[in-house]
């Protein structure tokens, strides 16, 4: 298994109903041997059009965050829990996450990063199979199968709550 082979599989995936409404799958992008992986929630409108993760407004903020920690977007890896856009950017539902999460797990197995930064509650809850609030878990590192996992706010949330940006920077 390699990332390009997995991407081909995802491209023809119809394991959940989002396959019918997506324009493009958004597999993820970046370095295949990244030491740091960011995991968001699901593609939005712009991501669905371009087939790339975090290329809209929230993506601009994520880019700034990556720059702030002295890295380049190309040197990390960026992906989402869901590979297809939920209509009107609604929250992913449980069945969609159940259908899609193995792709994410395979990506992590293949990349084997040192650090995973989960953005928002869905990525965190999917990896640990829990239902926590982001305000409770944010900023506290945990072990995730030998990797360091650091949960933080989702950039879309930060756009709406700019007073929280400082905590995310930290
Ligand atoms: N929000 C996400 O969770 N992922 C994206 O790729 C874009 C916006
Ligand atoms: Fe398949 Fe995931 Fe897209 Fe659903 S969201 S169709 S499981 S790739």
């Amino acid at each position: 298994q390699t990332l390009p082979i997995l991407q081909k599989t995802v491209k023809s995936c119809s394991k959940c109903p989002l396959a019918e409404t997506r324009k493009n799958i958004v597999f993820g992008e970046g370095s295949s041997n990244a030491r740091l992986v960011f995991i968001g929630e699901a593609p939005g409108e712009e991501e669905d059009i371009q087939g790339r993760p975090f290329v809209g407004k929230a993506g601009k903020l994520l880019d700034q965050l990556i720059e702030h920690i002295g890295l380049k977007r190309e040197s990390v890896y960026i992906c989402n829990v869901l590979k297809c856009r939920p209509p009107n950017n609604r929250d992913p539902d449980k069945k969609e996450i159940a259908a899609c999460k193995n792709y994410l797990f395979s990506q992590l197995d293949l990349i084997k990063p040192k650090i995973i930064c989960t953005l928002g509650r869905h990525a965190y809850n999917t990896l640990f199979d829990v239902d926590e609030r982001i305000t409770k878990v944010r900023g506290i590192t945990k072990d995730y199968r030998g990797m360091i996992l650091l949960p933080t706010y989702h950039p879309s949330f930060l756009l709406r709550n700019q007073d929280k940006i400082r905590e995310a920077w930290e």
Side-chain angles (χ1 to χ4, degrees), residues 10 13-16 18-19 22 82-84 96 99-100 103:
V10 175
C13 179
S14 54
K15 287 202 290 177
C16 89
L18 298 181
R22 73 178 177 226
L82 293 187
K83 310 310 189 203
C84 305
E96 291 156 1
C100 208
Y103 298 136

Side-chain angles (χ1 to χ4, degrees), residues 106-123:
S106 297
Q107 284 171 305
L108 294 174
D109 283 344
L110 288 165
I111 298 167
K112 293 194 187 69
K114 291 249 183 325
I115 302 177
I116 300 169
C117 181
T118 52
L119 305 167
R121 70 191 161 94
H122 291 290

Side-chain angles (χ1 to χ4, degrees), residues 26 39-48 52-59 62 73 78-82 89 119 154-156:
V26 177
I39 309 173
E41 178 178 321
E45 185 178 21
E46 195 55 36
E47 290 77 19
D48 181 49
R52 296 180 54 208
F54 284 99
V55 288
K57 272 192 196 141
L62 180 60
R73 186 177 161 117
I78 304 172
C79 60
N80 287 299
V81 173
L82 293 187
N89 300 349
L119 305 167
H154 193 285
S156 302

Side-chain angles (χ1 to χ4, degrees), residues 48-90:
D48 181 49
I49 292 169
Q50 294 191 34
R52 296 180 54 208
F54 284 99
V55 288
K57 272 192 196 141
K60 291 249 157 61
L61 187 56
L62 180 60
D63 288 348
Q64 286 173 28
L65 185 117
I66 293 170
E67 253 178 54
H68 179 80
I69 56 176
L71 296 174
K72 292 223 178 321
R73 186 177 161 117
E74 315 83 73
S75 67
V76 303
Y77 193 86
I78 304 172
C79 60
N80 287 299
V81 173
L82 293 187
K83 310 310 189 203
C84 305
R85 182 194 182 201
N88 303 313
N89 300 349
R90 64 157 170 73

